[in-house]
Amino acid sequence: MPPSEFLGIASAPPGAALDLALVRAQLSAKRLGSSFHYLQEIDSTNSYARQLAEVGTAEGAIIIAESQTQGRGRLGRRWQSPPFSNLYLSFILRPDLSPRHAPQITLTAAVAVAETVGAFLRRAPSIKWPNDILFDGKKLAGILSEAVCDTERVEYVILGIGLNLNYPVDAMPEELRGRATSMADLTGARVSRENVLSRLIQDLDRCYGDLGESGFEMVRPRWEAHFDLRGRRVRVDVGGRPLVGWARGLDREGALIVEDEQGERRSIVAGDVIPLEI
Ligand code: BTN
């Protein structure tokens, strides 16, 4: 995309701190943004958010860091978090959900991130189940949600989002190049972190509100609209055991439906999905 067509060009110089006052001035969120916690550097915004949640910090708190020394990804992976270039943030959510429905928060967040990215790039990204945001098959954003539950209800969810904005592929570690991308690489222009952040909070606020008020049925078709593995042959590693079949979309609760070679449909609640060639 030529930079001139891109709506979110940065005016702040490279390496500038996030202008949180500007972000807040652009917000009219109902649920999110009850408090902001801005850190120059932290091990992980999810870990910090959890400490805040444990001492009763209210729903909607947003924890943002300029860099993370131990940014965490799914399945024990690391999340590269260089300073002043991307977005690393976590939300404290206290949804009225049963523990088995907690993964719906992640799916809902994936819709919000995809909608934000789509608004800036003017082309929708895809979602790789459950929550990777991909552009042309390369990872642009990731979501890590961690729920704390009692037997009946979710007590709180820490929803962490990492979004690659001004992170040139050339500066990424060798093992990420070819597999990851950033908005600046996709647009050819440095991106306003403030504009993307305020839009992301706004989109998440709306999607989370839809989930709370109307249930997952309101979110599911929007998630599926971004799911480009529907009908594709996939392998899902479920607890270390591979299941091969065809991805059929999400069931009513948010589990991935995979139809195996015998035509039996299985609902997968956790795992990693890998597309297969045939
Ligand atoms: C993944 O795709 O594996 C999930 C990546 C999630 C990264 C974000 S960055 C902000 C928050 N803090 C963390 O330590 N991780 C999440």
Side-chain angles (χ1 to χ4, degrees):
M1 177 193 296
S4 56
E5 286 180 21
F6 175 60
L7 298 170
I9 294 179
S11 53
L18 202 55
D19 183 347
L20 217 48
L22 180 60
V23 173
R24 297 180 78 157
Q26 293 176 3
L27 285 181
S28 58
K30 291 191 194 136
R31 296 165 187 81
L32 307 181
S34 54
S35 61
F36 280 81
H37 306 260
Y38 171 78
L39 306 147
Q40 289 288 319
E41 184 181 274
I42 192 72
D43 52 355
S44 152
T45 56
N46 267 35
S47 306
Y48 189 84
R50 190 171 176 147
Q51 290 169 26
L52 291 179
E54 284 293 320
V55 295
T57 302
E59 152 136 313
I62 304 177
I63 296 85
I64 305 170
E66 294 289 10
S67 70
Q68 299 182 114
T69 53
Q70 290 173 54
R72 294 191 278 117
R74 286 178 64 236
L75 308 171
R77 297 178 187 131
R78 289 287 298 269
W79 187 258
Q80 292 297 321
S81 311
F84 302 112
S85 47
N86 298 320
L87 291 174
Y88 319 112
L89 68 160
S90 302
F91 297 83
I92 297 176
L93 304 177
R94 298 186 182 275
D96 184 15
L97 284 177
S98 62
R100 76 191 175 98
H101 290 142
Q104 292 176 358
I105 296 287
T106 317
L107 299 164
T108 301
V111 171
V113 177
E115 290 181 358
T116 302
V117 166
F120 282 92
L121 298 181
R122 300 210 188 133
R123 182 155 68 89
S126 60
I127 303 176
K128 178 170 172 281
W129 185 82
N131 54 6
D132 286 350
I133 308 298
L134 306 183
F135 216 92
D136 295 333
K138 294 184 180 168
K139 188 151 165 175
L140 184 60
I143 299 168
L144 177 68
S145 38
E146 300 173 298
V148 171
C149 308
D150 62 27
T151 49
E152 304 279 303
R153 308 305 299 166
V154 170
E155 194 185 321
Y156 63 82
V157 175
I158 304 302
L159 173 69
I161 299 174
L163 179 50
N164 291 337
L165 297 189
N166 299 317
Y167 188 17
V169 168
D170 294 351
M172 293 180 185
E174 186 77 44
E175 70 273 14
L176 285 188
R177 289 182 219 154
R179 291 199 289 125
T181 188
S182 69
M183 280 175 69
D185 267 306
L186 291 166
T187 61
R190 261 186 350 96
V191 175
S192 161
R193 294 193 299 150
E194 289 78 7
N195 289 357
V196 177
L197 177 58
S198 54
R199 175 77 193 232
L200 174 61
I201 296 169
Q202 217 53 59
D203 286 340
L204 182 61
D205 187 72
R206 178 174 42 78
C207 292
Y208 182 54
D210 290 343
L211 177 70
E213 281 157 27
S214 308
F216 189 63
E217 271 309 303
M218 185 75 180
V219 175
R220 185 167 69 121
R222 280 142 67 194
W223 189 96
E224 289 194 322
H226 291 278
F227 182 53
D228 59 6
L229 292 184
R230 185 197 273 275
R232 289 275 307 269
R233 204 166 135 78
V234 295
R235 192 183 82 217
V236 190
D237 290 323
V238 189
R241 295 194 23 222
L243 166 70
V244 173
W246 283 266
R248 298 294 186 216
L250 294 183
D251 73 11
R252 296 168 65 88
E253 310 222 307
L256 178 70
I257 305 167
V258 176
E259 188 177 326
D260 70 16
E261 271 141 5
Q262 287 71 45
E264 195 179 320
R265 289 183 164 222
R266 298 259 308 268
S267 288
I268 312 295
V269 291
D272 228 7
V273 63
I274 297 147
L276 299 176
E277 284 311 313
I278 45 165

